[in-house]
Amino acid sequence: NFSNHYSFYTEKIVKPILGRRLFLVFSGQYYLRNLRALGFKTFDSIIDESYDLEPDYTKRGKMITEQMTYLFNQPQEQILEQIKPIVEHNYRVMLTTPWRAQTFASLRSIIETK
């Protein structure tokens, strides 16, 4: 989903996290910021993630493509070494967070405030 009004997390982000892989996300503005708010780390120490701040969908896509090109031109062993602590952290967060309880608690607080 490319809406800038919310972030919609699906299996498409879970798969690289469980596979311990670097990811770039072509989604709405602030998707990465919101993912970090859930406890995950992203790859801003390796790539330029300023695309997450870009409100224009087309420009954001071009910025992501530039980062893909950058990654393709880097020594893969170096990139794999750099991502290790991040992907391990994300893997642990994914497997140890009580997602169902957290989701219900969030929904409950939204309902109670209305």
Side-chain angles (χ1 to χ4, degrees), residues 2-5 26-30 50-61 63:
F2 61 90
S3 172
N4 289 342
H5 303 292
F26 193 12
S27 189
Q29 184 182 28
Y30 305 130
S50 64
Y51 68 84
D52 191 51
L53 305 175
E54 177 55 50
D56 181 77
Y57 182 75
T58 303
K59 187 172 180 184
R60 190 166 51 247
M63 294 169 78

Side-chain angles (χ1 to χ4, degrees), residues 40-101:
F40 293 99
K41 293 183 180 180
T42 60
F43 303 94
D44 58 348
S45 62
I46 300 164
I47 59 172
D48 178 3
E49 291 185 338
S50 64
Y51 68 84
D52 191 51
L53 305 175
E54 177 55 50
D56 181 77
Y57 182 75
T58 303
K59 187 172 180 184
R60 190 166 51 247
K62 289 178 183 176
M63 294 169 78
I64 292 168
T65 302
E66 290 170 4
Q67 292 312 299
M68 290 171 61
T69 302
Y70 167 78
L71 285 170
F72 293 151
N73 291 310
Q74 299 306 304
Q76 295 305 295
E77 298 81 19
Q78 177 183 330
I79 297 296
L80 290 171
E81 192 61 35
Q82 288 177 308
I83 69 170
K84 275 184 184 179
I86 299 168
V87 298
E88 290 301 325
H89 169 84
N90 289 344
Y91 183 81
R92 283 191 305 278
V93 169
M94 182 61 72
L95 293 182
T96 61
T97 301
W99 296 110
R100 186 174 177 162

